[in-house]
Amino acid sequence: MDSDGDGIGDLNGITSKLEYLKELGVTAAWLSPIFKSPMVDFGYDISDFFDIQPEYGTLEDFRNLIKKANELELKIILDFVPNHSSDENEWFKKSVKREKGYQDYYVWHDGKVNASTGVREPPTNWLQYFRGSAWEWNEERQQYYLHQFAVQQPDLNYRNPDVVAQMKRVLRYWLNEGVSGFRCDALPPLFEVLPDAEGQYPDEVVSGATDDADDRDYLTTTYIENQPETVDMVYQWRTVLDDHKRIYGGNSSVLLIETYSPAWFTMQFYGNRSVNGAHLPFNFNLITVMEKSGLSASNVQEAIDLWLQNMPAGRTANWVLGNHDKRRAASRYGAEFIDAMNMLVMILPGASVTYQGEELGMTDGWISWEDTVDPWGCNSNADIYEQYTRDPERTPFQWTNGTNAGFSTGETTWLPLAADYETINVATESAADHSHLTIYKSLIALRRSSKTLQNGSTKYAVLSDDVFVIKRSLSGANSIFYVCNFGSASITVDLSEFDKTLPSDLVLLIRSMDSIKSEGAGYASKELELAVGEALVLSSE
Ligand code: GLC
Ligand code: MG
């Protein structure tokens, strides 16, 4: 929400809408980076980790936001971007000048001289996420620096203890401002492999995943991602949080980890028997498994198995449908499945995560090449940018069907609106008897009142190839069922194939948008008819 008409969302705008979050029933909100930044990567290029970006507001505005959030008992989580800073950060400027204490703040290297041409070349073939080399020559310092993201996002050097200490200061600084934790950005590239005795790094080999030699996937990432030191660093940050609480009291704060990594790596962030790690490494399986092979009942099962079967004992699961880096859930899964997916993340055990707009069924905007601002898009070209740009999922939040969807009173907004804002928006959906938004609110209300959802055990299966069923049960309480038809034809299923102890009738609690069933009515468990995309939450009593 934009409060000052410049077309850009800001802190006062968020403060003015905290009540909306409260009404939804969510308990905590994560803000993407709000720190001082030249905005090359929309705040993920930080020039001052200890200050607020002026277009978002001031430190005082931030304190107001926290105050209001406390009154409403909402927790605010900030984005912690440890891997890199902006090239406009003082630290980088000092490092370029080799100022004492800052010489090794970033990953610098002479490169190598090509034996046949005599020309100086980057130290390795490593590629950045946003296309092209991960090394950039710096004229002034006469060395290359590493940047796993954009050229303007130099990687901090975590082999330097001063950097490690500095970034812990960042955590403590915002804990002192009353935040309830951090979403830790981009963990895979935090550390790179150590160089050999001559100071040389190894090249990555061609992966075979794509022919596009600028695409990061063109090479493996064996040496530049998922190093063991990265896991240890997260354990150290956890200690910072725990120590802070021990010293100053207050509530516990939380660590969320962004890592698109294989399970063997991701699960280590939770910690182990002797050490605590992050509370929640994000579970992106409902995104990544479907990216590979589409939405189906068996893929939903695979995504869930992949998490629950690998998670260490005694930890909390979590479920994510989308974020600002992925196409909007309603566009990715198909709009007819948005309720089914929102139900999934609410009914499965553990924490559920919503990217703003998923509760409304917001879809991607279409952004022309001329309007493209995301560096990942801008670093490609007019023919292929749509494959890379993340602008479509970042269009303004849709509050109303009025001017700028109620997001801003300005002439224009920082990205154009998505086309569907006249029907998909908070005002219209709140006024309706049955909408994606009312469904979402009922789901949270159920989570918050149901002991079965909070503490019950979980069983799930695929029936008749296309139907996915979950049963949550707790002794002494009613059982809760989730059923969805992910196939392309309507179907009648016998739920007793899945659970012998079922009562003959189940009571309908919540139904997807197009379902013509009635809430409160009973439905025969041995003969449950489901239309395409129909998703239901039912109770045993
Ligand atoms: C994370 C963020 C993404 C950003 C990148 C670099 O993946 O979610 O938006 O571009 O890190 O900080
Ligand atoms: Mg503004």
Side-chain angles (χ1 to χ4, degrees):
M1 179 71 186
D2 174 24
S3 71
D4 61 0
D6 66 357
I8 301 168
D10 47 50
L11 295 175
N12 289 338
I14 295 171
T15 307
S16 75
K17 293 293 190 182
L18 286 175
E19 261 121 7
Y20 169 70
L21 295 182
K22 186 72 190 174
E23 269 168 43
L24 285 180
V26 307
T27 49
W30 143 43
L31 307 184
S32 54
I34 55 170
F35 318 104
K36 220 176 220 162
S37 163
M39 292 287 152
V40 169
D41 189 18
F42 297 92
Y44 285 99
D45 49 319
I46 300 174
S47 52
D48 186 345
F49 284 82
F50 303 98
D51 205 354
I52 305 277
Q53 170 69 359
E55 68 205 32
Y56 296 154
T58 61
L59 191 58
E60 202 181 314
D61 296 333
F62 180 71
R63 288 177 176 156
N64 276 334
L65 189 159
I66 294 287
K67 189 166 162 266
K68 183 75 191 279
N70 284 339
E71 284 163 21
L72 294 171
E73 294 180 336
L74 287 170
K75 298 193 188 292
I76 299 296
I77 296 167
L78 291 187
D79 215 311
F80 176 52
V81 187
N83 179 67
H84 45 266
S85 73
S86 160
D87 61 347
E88 293 185 23
N89 195 299
E90 281 305 308
W91 306 335
F92 187 70
K93 292 184 186 164
K94 290 179 178 172
S95 195
V96 165
K97 295 198 165 61
R98 297 181 197 261
E99 251 181 56
K100 197 156 173 283
Y102 293 89
Q103 295 99 320
D104 299 325
Y105 240 65
Y106 295 83
V107 184
W108 294 100
H109 201 282
D110 292 335
K112 359 178 231 218
V113 178
N114 183 310
S116 50
T117 63
V119 177
R120 192 195 294 273
E121 288 174 357
T124 64
N125 63 354
W126 298 351
L127 294 165
Q128 55 160 305
Y129 285 94
F130 298 153
R131 302 179 58 77
S133 173
W135 296 100
E136 180 76 3
W137 178 252
N138 182 273
E139 246 336 282
E140 193 177 341
R141 178 156 160 156
Q142 290 286 302
Q143 275 190 311
Y144 289 95
Y145 65 85
L146 178 72
H147 57 92
Q148 295 231 37
F149 291 89
V151 169
Q152 299 90 337
Q153 292 168 294
D155 271 49
L156 288 157
N157 175 17
Y158 276 80
R159 305 219 178 257
N160 177 348
D162 290 348
V163 169
V164 172
Q166 179 72 272
M167 297 313 281
K168 289 179 182 172
R169 278 184 61 216
V170 172
L171 293 174
R172 291 190 195 101
Y173 180 85
W174 293 106
L175 285 173
N176 285 335
E177 288 292 339
V179 308
S180 299
F182 303 91
R183 173 267 188 185
C184 304
D185 178 75
L187 263 292
L190 197 72
F191 277 85
E192 298 72 36
V193 77
L194 275 167
D196 67 17
E198 277 86 56
Q200 299 303 321
Y201 292 108
D203 276 336
E204 295 282 0
V205 299
V206 173
S207 73
T210 168
D211 290 337
D212 180 347
D214 283 332
D215 191 311
R216 182 163 171 109
D217 291 343
Y218 183 72
L219 301 175
T220 57
T221 51
T222 314
Y223 305 118
I224 60 173
E225 285 184 15
N226 302 348
Q227 304 299 307
E229 294 91 333
T230 300
V231 176
D232 179 68
M233 192 53 53
V234 169
Y235 298 167
Q236 294 187 36
W237 297 336
R238 173 66 187 263
T239 306
V240 170
L241 266 58
D242 290 350
D243 285 353
H244 195 273
K245 180 180 165 168
R246 192 152 351 114
I247 299 165
Y248 301 102
N251 293 323
S252 304
S253 44
V254 72
L255 277 183
L256 311 170
I257 297 293
E258 186 208 25
T259 184
Y260 292 89
S261 307
W264 68 263
F265 189 70
T266 303
M267 293 300 167
Q268 294 182 58
F269 286 111
Y270 272 120
N272 52 50
R273 250 173 249 164
S274 49
V275 57
N276 274 325
H279 305 79
L280 303 171
F282 279 132
N283 170 4
F284 295 135
N285 294 345
L286 289 170
I287 302 175
T288 53
V289 172
M290 314 311 160
E291 268 175 355
K292 261 184 276 153
S293 44
L295 182 61
S296 67
S298 54
N299 284 345
V300 168
Q301 179 168 40
E302 184 189 327
I304 298 171
D305 281 345
L306 201 53
W307 197 267
L308 294 184
Q309 293 177 4
N310 289 299
M311 186 173 74
R315 305 288 168 171
T316 304
N318 73 98
W319 311 95
V320 182
L321 295 182
N323 55 47
H324 62 293
D325 296 325
K326 297 288 175 187
R327 288 290 179 273
R328 284 200 174 266
S331 296
R332 222 174 333 110
Y333 301 119
E336 66 276 30
F337 289 110
I338 190 65
D339 306 314
M341 298 310 283
N342 280 335
M343 285 177 187
L344 253 189
V345 301
M346 296 285 183
I347 299 298
L348 286 166
S352 43
V353 180
T354 299
Y355 175 52
Q356 46 90 351
E358 279 167 10
E359 76 280 21
L360 303 174
M362 270 179 70
T363 56
D364 291 332
W366 183 78
I367 315 288
S368 68
W369 170 243
E370 287 69 33
D371 284 337
T372 295
V373 290
D374 177 29
W376 206 337
C378 296
N379 285 351
S380 66
N381 62 55
D383 295 329
I384 58 168
Y385 78 99
E386 288 185 78
Q387 237 176 285
Y388 296 100
T389 177
R390 296 167 296 177
D391 292 331
E393 59 263 30
R394 298 175 177 186
T395 58
F397 189 80
Q398 295 161 196
W399 293 104
T400 70
N401 62 4
T403 311
N404 294 331
F407 171 78
S408 173
T409 55
E411 302 260 290
T412 54
T413 50
W414 75 286
L415 279 173
L417 295 176
D420 59 9
Y421 77 91
E422 288 183 8
T423 48
I424 304 288
N425 63 68
V426 174
T428 306
E429 292 190 35
S430 306
D433 289 337
H434 192 228
S435 64
H436 300 307
L437 184 59
T438 63
I439 295 165
Y440 181 90
K441 283 190 189 171
S442 318
L443 286 166
I444 298 200
L446 181 65
R447 266 174 83 82
R448 300 193 72 173
S449 64
S450 165
K451 289 272 169 290
T452 305
L453 290 185
Q454 287 159 19
N455 304 319
S457 60
T458 308
K459 175 177 150 185
Y460 51 91
V462 174
L463 297 184
S464 311
D465 292 341
D466 290 325
V467 175
F468 191 71
V469 203
I470 306 173
K471 179 188 186 187
R472 301 292 313 276
S473 51
L474 184 70
S475 82
N478 62 327
S479 299
I480 303 238
F481 296 85
Y482 164 92
V483 199
C484 175
N485 177 5
F486 285 101
S488 49
S490 56
I491 195 167
T492 301
V493 285
D494 177 357
L495 293 182
S496 67
E497 282 172 27
F498 161 71
D499 182 35
K500 300 273 173 291
T501 66
L502 272 183
S504 58
D505 270 1
L506 294 174
V507 182
L508 180 64
L509 300 180
I510 305 171
R511 69 195 157 102
S512 54
M513 191 62 190
D514 296 329
S515 166
I516 52 169
K517 296 191 172 57
S518 317
E519 274 128 30
Y523 289 90
S525 56
K526 286 195 177 198
E527 242 184 346
L528 186 64
E529 244 184 87
L530 293 167
V532 176
E534 184 166 15
L536 308 173
V537 178
L538 302 137
S539 169
S540 61
E541 15 183 290

